[in-house]
Amino acid sequence: MVSPKTRYLVFFQYWGTKYSGVMQTSAEQSGVGVQNYLEKAAQNLKPVVPIKFHISSRTDSGVHALCNSAHLDIQRAPGKPAFQERVLIGCLNHHLKPEPIRILSAYRVTNNFHARFSALSRTYIYRLLMGCTHHSEIPVFERDLCWAPPGGYLNVPAMQDAAQFLLGTHDFSTFCSLNSETPFRSPVKTILQADIQPSSGFLSHHYEYRGLQFWELKFKSRSFLYRQVRRMVGALVAVGQGKLAPHHIKELLEMKDARAFPPFAMAPSSGLFLKSVEYNEAG
Amino acid sequence: MVSPKTRYLVFFQYWGTKYSGVMQTSAEQSGVGVQNYLEKAAQNLKPVVPIKFHISSRTDSGVHALCNSAHLDIQRAPGKPAFQERVLIGCLNHHLKPEPIRILSAYRVTNNFHARFSALSRTYIYRLLMGCTHHSEIPVFERDLCWAPPGGYLNVPAMQDAAQFLLGTHDFSTFCSLNSETPFRSPVKTILQADIQPSSGFLSHHYEYRGLQFWELKFKSRSFLYRQVRRMVGALVAVGQGKLAPHHIKELLEMKDARAFPPFAMAPSSGLFLKSVEYNEAG
């Protein structure tokens, strides 16, 4: 007799610095993915078949998540009832405890729900720190959690003007790093939101005298190309540094060629956070 | 010919989780102090005599500093000029780089300046996280940087009433953990500030829906007894949990006996930050 499987959607967060990215890595690869730890923790649920996490949103090495999502199926021994959501959360977090990875919530979903394909949109934020003349001025509590571009303060109004060119539907080929999947994915994406807002740092109200400014860039789209957010941020920072004019962003888009992207302009992973994955239901 | 020594006051910050405290440890002690790393970095200045940091404010294992201070004397080879402040900062930070310790600023001071005895006051803050029903709900970015007392939300107005009893000059014997120095120090201290204010967490504006609340307790005094802040916070949290009434804080003070302090009520080190050390001049 085959026991029925139960599908869950889980939301989870992680501090990405020590991981090779969110996706599972094999034994041959250097670095370990967040998914490896999630699936290892899930072994403790004693399922009849090993549990696989289907991650909604890939994040690279060093990229953080305030909230990523995945679905998983749990098949228990015959006669055992499906796990309650709070039991599932508690068990996974108990076994994830040494890692900076946390399950935030879990929802039972129908068997045709897919964490990746059912997602309506993703929202990323990118944290910039301005006012540092040297990287040693980054507060120790912000290390690995922001980017302090060299050259001091940025021209934020110019960056805000430039960000407008990214809004809407475009061929983002120039803003896509090449990987094995590039030839099979459409480079046309629709950016629903591209905001640049002042923000705050960890306890920064206690050191306002240091003249450090935190800013957040926020991007929302159904999906993004490989390293698209980091390339968009890097180009906007180049505008803020006066290396590009706002209209150059439009011209880069029109080139539709990854090789047209200014060399070395991609923003580092440390400042990037997946903020949320949006669905119609369940969270 | 003896070369003259130059005295500097430096301000520095650190993430305390991995250190045994700020003070130097010897080879026999487990754990390493922040001071060990500071003095090791200072060896690279090639002084004629080894450089000793005279730390202004002791902090325990796991306690953080947004800003602590120390003075040090540098004696260079004959004929070599005194280091400029920015050179001193740059060299120390370069060699501290792998550690979450940073020199924030440096000032030349007179040879009778003493980082500890010249300090007019110290300000500590303590970060509380309310709204967690289980410690696994602490955001991964706040781990080791706050305390989420068990039992959910606290009665903040009662805590604010209770904090008023701590203000002013009292014998704080009840709020002092015993150590080898206790018999030689006066237990009378004057608390100049004891505030409880709402605060924010790291990127907490992105997860307001989770119902987590950050609060900061702020204490200012010329000096504090051993673990006084953690004992005061623990007692105020006990008031917030309804385990003590506000007037019990007054009664605890009047007992003037460390053994009268409620067992297990001391707040953990993870939420405590030395915010600043105040002087008449130089920073």
Side-chain angles (χ1 to χ4, degrees):
Chain A
M1 187 184 120
V2 179
S3 58
K5 67 181 183 184
T6 309
R7 183 163 290 187
Y8 297 88
L9 167 65
V10 294
F11 292 93
F12 58 103
Q13 65 173 202
Y14 46 91
W15 182 312
T17 306
K18 63 178 281 199
Y19 305 108
S20 62
V22 70
M23 303 307 284
Q24 189 169 39
T25 52
S26 61
E28 304 90 62
Q29 289 173 274
S30 68
V32 181
V34 172
Q35 188 181 355
N36 297 63
Y37 290 99
L38 292 170
E39 293 181 0
K40 193 175 161 201
Q43 286 173 9
N44 296 288
L45 297 163
K46 303 197 189 339
V48 174
V49 292
I51 291 171
K52 186 167 165 50
F53 279 68
H54 299 263
I55 309 281
S56 76
S57 311
R58 289 188 172 220
T59 58
D60 274 357
S61 173
V63 175
H64 317 287
L66 289 166
C67 188
N68 200 339
S69 61
H71 77 260
L72 59 148
D73 292 328
I74 305 180
Q75 203 165 346
R76 302 193 72 191
K80 294 216 172 192
F83 284 110
Q84 287 187 321
E85 285 118 338
R86 64 171 181 78
V87 175
L88 178 63
I89 297 169
C91 176
L92 292 174
N93 279 335
H94 179 75
H95 290 97
L96 286 165
K97 195 173 176 189
E99 297 299 319
I101 305 171
R102 278 293 165 277
I103 306 293
L104 300 172
S105 53
Y107 302 90
R108 277 185 74 160
V109 288
T110 55
N111 283 356
N112 62 358
F113 181 94
H114 194 288
R116 180 167 164 207
F117 301 119
S118 303
L120 299 179
S121 61
R122 279 88 176 167
T123 304
Y124 283 89
I125 60 163
Y126 196 97
R127 298 182 75 237
L128 290 178
L129 171 54
M130 302 183 198
C132 290
T133 56
H134 188 266
H135 60 77
S136 68
E137 296 170 24
I138 300 171
V140 298
F141 304 99
E142 298 286 347
R143 189 193 275 201
D144 299 326
L145 298 173
C146 64
W147 177 32
Y153 296 100
L154 302 173
N155 181 346
V156 175
M159 293 168 70
Q160 287 168 326
D161 287 349
Q164 299 307 304
F165 292 115
L166 297 169
L167 277 176
T169 305
H170 307 280
D171 182 321
F172 279 94
S173 293
T174 309
F175 292 88
C176 175
S177 289
L178 300 173
N179 73 356
S180 58
E181 293 180 356
T182 307
F184 310 106
R185 296 263 175 93
S186 165
V188 177
K189 299 287 173 192
T190 302
I191 303 291
L192 302 164
Q193 199 175 5
D195 284 348
I196 304 176
Q197 301 279 350
S199 184
S200 63
F202 180 79
L203 293 178
S204 57
H205 52 294
H206 290 295
Y207 55 86
E208 281 165 355
Y209 63 92
R210 290 184 60 196
L212 302 181
Q213 287 182 4
F214 291 88
W215 290 81
E216 276 181 24
L217 288 72
K218 187 176 179 184
F219 299 97
K220 183 174 177 175
S221 173
R222 187 176 191 294
S223 61
F224 292 91
L225 297 170
Y226 182 53
R227 294 188 171 163
Q228 183 183 347
V229 177
R230 288 169 60 190
R231 284 191 163 218
M232 292 191 300
V233 171
L236 293 177
V237 165
V239 170
Q241 292 169 325
K243 294 177 184 170
L244 295 178
H247 69 85
H248 286 134
I249 299 296
K250 184 166 180 284
E251 293 169 19
L252 284 171
L253 276 170
E254 286 165 355
M255 286 183 207
K256 301 176 189 174
D257 182 352
R259 293 164 302 182
F261 188 76
F264 314 113
M266 188 170 73
S269 59
S270 59
L272 185 56
F273 295 72
L274 175 57
K275 168 184 150 57
S276 54
V277 186
E278 294 88 19
Y279 297 95
N280 243 339
E281 47 187 335
Chain B
M1 186 185 123
V2 178
S3 58
K5 68 180 183 185
T6 309
R7 184 162 290 188
Y8 297 88
L9 166 65
V10 294
F11 292 92
F12 57 103
Q13 65 174 203
Y14 46 91
W15 182 311
T17 307
K18 63 178 281 197
Y19 305 109
S20 62
V22 70
M23 304 308 283
Q24 188 168 42
T25 52
S26 61
E28 303 90 63
Q29 290 173 274
S30 68
V32 182
V34 172
Q35 187 181 355
N36 297 64
Y37 290 101
L38 292 170
E39 293 182 0
K40 193 175 161 202
Q43 286 173 8
N44 296 287
L45 296 165
K46 303 197 189 340
V48 174
V49 293
I51 292 171
K52 185 166 164 53
F53 279 67
H54 299 263
I55 308 282
S56 76
S57 312
R58 288 189 173 220
T59 58
D60 274 357
S61 174
V63 176
H64 318 287
L66 288 166
C67 190
N68 201 339
S69 61
H71 77 259
L72 58 148
D73 292 329
I74 305 180
Q75 203 165 345
R76 303 193 72 192
K80 295 217 172 192
F83 284 110
Q84 289 187 319
E85 285 117 338
R86 63 173 180 77
V87 175
L88 179 63
I89 297 169
C91 177
L92 292 175
N93 279 336
H94 179 74
H95 290 97
L96 287 165
K97 196 173 176 188
E99 297 299 321
I101 305 171
R102 280 290 164 277
I103 307 293
L104 299 172
S105 53
Y107 303 90
R108 278 185 73 159
V109 288
T110 56
N111 283 356
N112 62 358
F113 181 94
H114 194 290
R116 182 169 161 204
F117 301 120
S118 303
L120 300 180
S121 60
R122 279 88 176 167
T123 305
Y124 283 90
I125 60 163
Y126 197 97
R127 298 181 75 237
L128 290 178
L129 172 54
M130 303 182 195
C132 290
T133 55
H134 187 266
H135 62 77
S136 68
E137 294 170 24
I138 299 171
V140 297
F141 305 98
E142 300 286 345
R143 190 195 275 203
D144 300 325
L145 298 173
C146 63
W147 177 33
Y153 295 100
L154 301 172
N155 181 346
V156 175
M159 293 168 68
Q160 288 167 328
D161 288 349
Q164 299 308 304
F165 292 114
L166 298 169
L167 275 175
T169 303
H170 308 279
D171 181 322
F172 279 95
S173 294
T174 310
F175 291 87
C176 176
S177 289
L178 300 174
N179 73 356
S180 58
E181 295 180 356
T182 307
F184 311 106
R185 295 266 174 93
S186 164
V188 177
K189 300 287 172 190
T190 302
I191 302 290
L192 303 165
Q193 199 174 6
D195 284 346
I196 305 176
Q197 301 280 350
S199 183
S200 62
F202 180 79
L203 292 178
S204 57
H205 52 295
H206 290 296
Y207 55 86
E208 281 165 356
Y209 62 93
R210 290 183 61 197
L212 301 181
Q213 287 182 5
F214 291 88
W215 289 80
E216 276 181 25
L217 288 72
K218 188 176 179 182
F219 299 96
K220 183 174 177 174
S221 173
R222 187 176 190 295
S223 61
F224 292 91
L225 298 170
Y226 182 53
R227 294 190 173 161
Q228 182 183 348
V229 178
R230 288 168 60 190
R231 283 191 165 219
M232 293 192 298
V233 171
L236 293 177
V237 165
V239 170
Q241 292 169 326
K243 295 176 184 170
L244 296 177
H247 70 86
H248 286 133
I249 299 296
K250 185 166 179 286
E251 293 170 17
L252 284 170
L253 276 170
E254 287 165 355
M255 287 183 205
K256 301 176 189 175
D257 182 351
R259 293 164 301 183
F261 189 76
F264 315 115
M266 188 170 73
S269 59
S270 59
L272 184 57
F273 295 73
L274 174 58
K275 168 183 151 60
S276 53
V277 187
E278 294 87 20
Y279 297 95
N280 244 339
E281 46 187 337

